[in-house]
mmCIF file of all heavy atoms in Angstrom:
data_model
loop_
_atom_site.group_PDB
_atom_site.id
_atom_site.type_symbol
_atom_site.label_atom_id
_atom_site.label_comp_id
_atom_site.label_asym_id
_atom_site.label_seq_id
_atom_site.Cartn_x
_atom_site.Cartn_y
_atom_site.Cartn_z
ATOM 1 N N THR A 1 10.232 -79.068 34.043
ATOM 2 C CA THR A 1 10.768 -79.114 32.687
ATOM 3 C C THR A 1 10.101 -78.050 31.867
ATOM 4 O O THR A 1 8.876 -77.891 31.955
ATOM 5 C CB THR A 1 10.543 -80.477 32.032
ATOM 6 O OG1 THR A 1 11.150 -81.516 32.852
ATOM 7 C CG2 THR A 1 11.135 -80.559 30.648
ATOM 8 N N ILE A 2 10.889 -77.309 31.084
ATOM 9 C CA ILE A 2 10.302 -76.304 30.184
ATOM 10 C C ILE A 2 10.182 -76.879 28.817
ATOM 11 O O ILE A 2 11.136 -77.349 28.221
ATOM 12 C CB ILE A 2 11.219 -75.028 30.139
ATOM 13 C CG1 ILE A 2 11.540 -74.511 31.531
ATOM 14 C CG2 ILE A 2 10.560 -73.970 29.276
ATOM 15 C CD1 ILE A 2 10.351 -74.045 32.300
ATOM 16 N N ARG A 3 8.917 -76.908 28.310
ATOM 17 C CA ARG A 3 8.617 -77.424 26.972
ATOM 18 C C ARG A 3 7.990 -76.312 26.120
ATOM 19 O O ARG A 3 6.825 -75.970 26.262
ATOM 20 C CB ARG A 3 7.627 -78.600 27.068
ATOM 21 C CG ARG A 3 8.151 -79.772 27.844
ATOM 22 C CD ARG A 3 9.280 -80.503 27.152
ATOM 23 N NE ARG A 3 9.713 -81.703 27.847
ATOM 24 C CZ ARG A 3 10.813 -82.384 27.522
ATOM 25 N NH1 ARG A 3 11.558 -82.017 26.511
ATOM 26 N NH2 ARG A 3 11.107 -83.484 28.201
ATOM 27 N N HIS A 4 8.806 -75.759 25.222
ATOM 28 C CA HIS A 4 8.304 -74.648 24.383
ATOM 29 C C HIS A 4 7.398 -75.121 23.274
ATOM 30 O O HIS A 4 7.649 -76.167 22.720
ATOM 31 C CB HIS A 4 9.472 -73.875 23.817
ATOM 32 C CG HIS A 4 10.350 -73.201 24.852
ATOM 33 N ND1 HIS A 4 11.606 -73.726 25.199
ATOM 34 C CD2 HIS A 4 10.172 -72.066 25.592
ATOM 35 C CE1 HIS A 4 12.125 -72.893 26.148
ATOM 36 N NE2 HIS A 4 11.269 -71.924 26.353
ATOM 37 N N LEU A 5 6.410 -74.288 22.973
ATOM 38 C CA LEU A 5 5.519 -74.534 21.835
ATOM 39 C C LEU A 5 5.514 -73.303 20.980
ATOM 40 O O LEU A 5 5.296 -72.192 21.435
ATOM 41 C CB LEU A 5 4.083 -74.827 22.327
ATOM 42 C CG LEU A 5 3.900 -76.071 23.193
ATOM 43 C CD1 LEU A 5 2.511 -76.176 23.686
ATOM 44 C CD2 LEU A 5 4.298 -77.387 22.435
ATOM 45 N N GLY A 6 5.725 -73.485 19.706
ATOM 46 C CA GLY A 6 5.826 -72.343 18.786
ATOM 47 C C GLY A 6 4.579 -72.299 17.858
ATOM 48 O O GLY A 6 4.354 -73.209 17.073
ATOM 49 N N MET A 7 3.827 -71.223 17.998
ATOM 50 C CA MET A 7 2.692 -70.968 17.108
ATOM 51 C C MET A 7 2.614 -69.506 16.812
ATOM 52 O O MET A 7 2.908 -68.660 17.676
ATOM 53 C CB MET A 7 1.380 -71.396 17.751
ATOM 54 C CG MET A 7 1.113 -72.918 17.834
ATOM 55 S SD MET A 7 -0.424 -73.297 18.725
ATOM 56 C CE MET A 7 0.199 -73.621 20.330
ATOM 57 N N TYR A 8 2.213 -69.151 15.580
ATOM 58 C CA TYR A 8 1.920 -67.754 15.279
ATOM 59 C C TYR A 8 0.558 -67.685 14.671
ATOM 60 O O TYR A 8 0.024 -68.669 14.121
ATOM 61 C CB TYR A 8 2.949 -67.136 14.344
ATOM 62 C CG TYR A 8 3.023 -67.642 12.963
ATOM 63 C CD1 TYR A 8 2.241 -67.070 11.948
ATOM 64 C CD2 TYR A 8 3.845 -68.678 12.633
ATOM 65 C CE1 TYR A 8 2.261 -67.526 10.669
ATOM 66 C CE2 TYR A 8 3.925 -69.170 11.326
ATOM 67 C CZ TYR A 8 3.132 -68.592 10.372
ATOM 68 O OH TYR A 8 3.198 -69.092 9.084
ATOM 69 N N ARG A 9 -0.083 -66.531 14.772
ATOM 70 C CA ARG A 9 -1.484 -66.385 14.337
ATOM 71 C C ARG A 9 -1.536 -65.871 12.910
ATOM 72 O O ARG A 9 -0.928 -64.870 12.577
ATOM 73 C CB ARG A 9 -2.244 -65.422 15.263
ATOM 74 C CG ARG A 9 -3.665 -65.252 14.931
ATOM 75 C CD ARG A 9 -4.435 -64.442 15.978
ATOM 76 N NE ARG A 9 -3.954 -63.037 16.018
ATOM 77 C CZ ARG A 9 -4.484 -62.126 16.776
ATOM 78 N NH1 ARG A 9 -5.487 -62.428 17.596
ATOM 79 N NH2 ARG A 9 -4.009 -60.882 16.794
ATOM 80 N N ASP A 10 -2.297 -66.585 12.067
ATOM 81 C CA ASP A 10 -2.554 -66.109 10.723
ATOM 82 C C ASP A 10 -3.475 -64.894 10.882
ATOM 83 O O ASP A 10 -4.601 -64.985 11.395
ATOM 84 C CB ASP A 10 -3.268 -67.219 9.913
ATOM 85 C CG ASP A 10 -3.471 -66.812 8.445
ATOM 86 O OD1 ASP A 10 -4.203 -65.796 8.235
ATOM 87 O OD2 ASP A 10 -2.933 -67.466 7.583
ATOM 88 N N GLU A 11 -3.019 -63.732 10.408
ATOM 89 C CA GLU A 11 -3.757 -62.499 10.606
ATOM 90 C C GLU A 11 -5.061 -62.411 9.870
ATOM 91 O O GLU A 11 -5.954 -61.629 10.179
ATOM 92 C CB GLU A 11 -2.860 -61.313 10.235
ATOM 93 C CG GLU A 11 -1.661 -61.127 11.110
ATOM 94 C CD GLU A 11 -2.004 -60.965 12.598
ATOM 95 O OE1 GLU A 11 -3.047 -60.371 12.888
ATOM 96 O OE2 GLU A 11 -1.208 -61.437 13.444
ATOM 97 N N LYS A 12 -5.256 -63.307 8.840
ATOM 98 C CA LYS A 12 -6.531 -63.313 8.127
ATOM 99 C C LYS A 12 -7.536 -64.264 8.747
ATOM 100 O O LYS A 12 -8.692 -63.937 8.922
ATOM 101 C CB LYS A 12 -6.263 -63.712 6.634
ATOM 102 C CG LYS A 12 -5.486 -62.658 5.859
ATOM 103 C CD LYS A 12 -5.354 -63.058 4.412
ATOM 104 C CE LYS A 12 -4.610 -61.980 3.632
ATOM 105 N NZ LYS A 12 -4.449 -62.367 2.202
ATOM 106 N N THR A 13 -7.099 -65.475 9.097
ATOM 107 C CA THR A 13 -8.030 -66.476 9.638
ATOM 108 C C THR A 13 -8.066 -66.445 11.148
ATOM 109 O O THR A 13 -8.996 -67.067 11.743
ATOM 110 C CB THR A 13 -7.619 -67.882 9.147
ATOM 111 O OG1 THR A 13 -6.347 -68.226 9.752
ATOM 112 C CG2 THR A 13 -7.500 -67.960 7.632
ATOM 113 N N LEU A 14 -7.044 -65.865 11.772
ATOM 114 C CA LEU A 14 -6.863 -65.884 13.236
ATOM 115 C C LEU A 14 -6.627 -67.282 13.813
ATOM 116 O O LEU A 14 -6.774 -67.490 14.996
ATOM 117 C CB LEU A 14 -8.059 -65.188 13.942
ATOM 118 C CG LEU A 14 -8.419 -63.773 13.536
ATOM 119 C CD1 LEU A 14 -9.565 -63.199 14.355
ATOM 120 C CD2 LEU A 14 -7.210 -62.845 13.642
ATOM 121 N N LYS A 15 -6.256 -68.193 12.911
ATOM 122 C CA LYS A 15 -5.961 -69.547 13.331
ATOM 123 C C LYS A 15 -4.454 -69.679 13.588
ATOM 124 O O LYS A 15 -3.625 -69.024 12.984
ATOM 125 C CB LYS A 15 -6.368 -70.561 12.261
ATOM 126 C CG LYS A 15 -7.848 -70.520 11.920
ATOM 127 C CD LYS A 15 -8.718 -71.045 13.060
ATOM 128 C CE LYS A 15 -10.186 -71.110 12.668
ATOM 129 N NZ LYS A 15 -10.994 -71.605 13.829
ATOM 130 N N PRO A 16 -4.102 -70.612 14.545
ATOM 131 C CA PRO A 16 -2.694 -70.773 14.830
ATOM 132 C C PRO A 16 -1.978 -71.643 13.808
ATOM 133 O O PRO A 16 -2.533 -72.571 13.254
ATOM 134 C CB PRO A 16 -2.683 -71.497 16.207
ATOM 135 C CG PRO A 16 -3.936 -72.304 16.187
ATOM 136 C CD PRO A 16 -4.940 -71.438 15.393
ATOM 137 N N ILE A 17 -0.740 -71.280 13.541
ATOM 138 C CA ILE A 17 0.137 -72.059 12.621
ATOM 139 C C ILE A 17 1.333 -72.550 13.434
ATOM 140 O O ILE A 17 2.074 -71.714 13.978
ATOM 141 C CB ILE A 17 0.597 -71.245 11.398
ATOM 142 C CG1 ILE A 17 -0.647 -70.789 10.567
ATOM 143 C CG2 ILE A 17 1.548 -72.019 10.530
ATOM 144 C CD1 ILE A 17 -0.341 -69.871 9.449
ATOM 145 N N TRP A 18 1.517 -73.852 13.527
ATOM 146 C CA TRP A 18 2.623 -74.432 14.310
ATOM 147 C C TRP A 18 3.917 -74.267 13.561
ATOM 148 O O TRP A 18 3.998 -74.437 12.335
ATOM 149 C CB TRP A 18 2.356 -75.935 14.541
ATOM 150 C CG TRP A 18 1.322 -76.216 15.583
ATOM 151 C CD1 TRP A 18 0.020 -76.335 15.398
ATOM 152 C CD2 TRP A 18 1.589 -76.557 16.948
ATOM 153 N NE1 TRP A 18 -0.620 -76.672 16.558
ATOM 154 C CE2 TRP A 18 0.312 -76.839 17.562
ATOM 155 C CE3 TRP A 18 2.756 -76.683 17.717
ATOM 156 C CZ2 TRP A 18 0.172 -77.215 18.881
ATOM 157 C CZ3 TRP A 18 2.607 -77.017 19.065
ATOM 158 C CH2 TRP A 18 1.315 -77.270 19.627
ATOM 159 N N TYR A 19 4.967 -73.961 14.322
ATOM 160 C CA TYR A 19 6.310 -73.999 13.721
ATOM 161 C C TYR A 19 7.340 -74.573 14.654
ATOM 162 O O TYR A 19 8.499 -74.768 14.258
ATOM 163 C CB TYR A 19 6.781 -72.531 13.325
ATOM 164 C CG TYR A 19 6.953 -71.589 14.469
ATOM 165 C CD1 TYR A 19 8.150 -71.455 15.093
ATOM 166 C CD2 TYR A 19 5.901 -70.790 14.919
ATOM 167 C CE1 TYR A 19 8.380 -70.567 16.134
ATOM 168 C CE2 TYR A 19 6.090 -69.909 15.940
ATOM 169 C CZ TYR A 19 7.347 -69.756 16.580
ATOM 170 O OH TYR A 19 7.509 -68.914 17.636
ATOM 171 N N TYR A 20 6.977 -74.914 15.916
ATOM 172 C CA TYR A 20 7.942 -75.473 16.859
ATOM 173 C C TYR A 20 7.186 -76.281 17.911
ATOM 174 O O TYR A 20 6.200 -75.808 18.443
ATOM 175 C CB TYR A 20 8.736 -74.349 17.504
ATOM 176 C CG TYR A 20 9.914 -74.822 18.330
ATOM 177 C CD1 TYR A 20 11.118 -75.260 17.749
ATOM 178 C CD2 TYR A 20 9.863 -74.849 19.700
ATOM 179 C CE1 TYR A 20 12.186 -75.693 18.494
ATOM 180 C CE2 TYR A 20 10.928 -75.231 20.506
ATOM 181 C CZ TYR A 20 12.092 -75.665 19.852
ATOM 182 O OH TYR A 20 13.180 -76.073 20.631
ATOM 183 N N ASN A 21 7.715 -77.491 18.214
ATOM 184 C CA ASN A 21 7.108 -78.324 19.221
ATOM 185 C C ASN A 21 8.204 -79.078 19.961
ATOM 186 O O ASN A 21 8.878 -79.968 19.413
ATOM 187 C CB ASN A 21 6.137 -79.325 18.562
ATOM 188 C CG ASN A 21 5.472 -80.259 19.610
ATOM 189 O OD1 ASN A 21 5.841 -80.253 20.789
ATOM 190 N ND2 ASN A 21 4.473 -81.013 19.119
ATOM 191 N N LYS A 22 8.463 -78.703 21.215
ATOM 192 C CA LYS A 22 9.524 -79.300 22.004
ATOM 193 C C LYS A 22 8.986 -80.312 23.015
ATOM 194 O O LYS A 22 9.593 -80.658 23.987
ATOM 195 C CB LYS A 22 10.296 -78.222 22.745
ATOM 196 C CG LYS A 22 11.632 -78.610 23.314
ATOM 197 C CD LYS A 22 12.633 -79.123 22.252
ATOM 198 C CE LYS A 22 13.954 -79.447 22.879
ATOM 199 N NZ LYS A 22 14.874 -80.089 21.884
ATOM 200 N N VAL A 23 7.774 -80.835 22.723
ATOM 201 C CA VAL A 23 7.188 -81.831 23.645
ATOM 202 C C VAL A 23 7.455 -83.233 23.095
ATOM 203 O O VAL A 23 7.199 -83.502 21.935
ATOM 204 C CB VAL A 23 5.638 -81.611 23.764
ATOM 205 C CG1 VAL A 23 5.027 -82.665 24.655
ATOM 206 C CG2 VAL A 23 5.345 -80.237 24.261
ATOM 207 N N PRO A 24 8.024 -84.118 23.922
ATOM 208 C CA PRO A 24 8.355 -85.500 23.414
ATOM 209 C C PRO A 24 7.084 -86.259 23.106
ATOM 210 O O PRO A 24 5.976 -85.922 23.495
ATOM 211 C CB PRO A 24 9.103 -86.123 24.626
ATOM 212 C CG PRO A 24 8.647 -85.326 25.804
ATOM 213 C CD PRO A 24 8.407 -83.940 25.316
#
């Protein structure tokens, strides 16, 4: 099963920001 996870990196803090979670 393919479960996508969406995160992008805050360019100032280098911390991930979630925007998508396809995990039940």
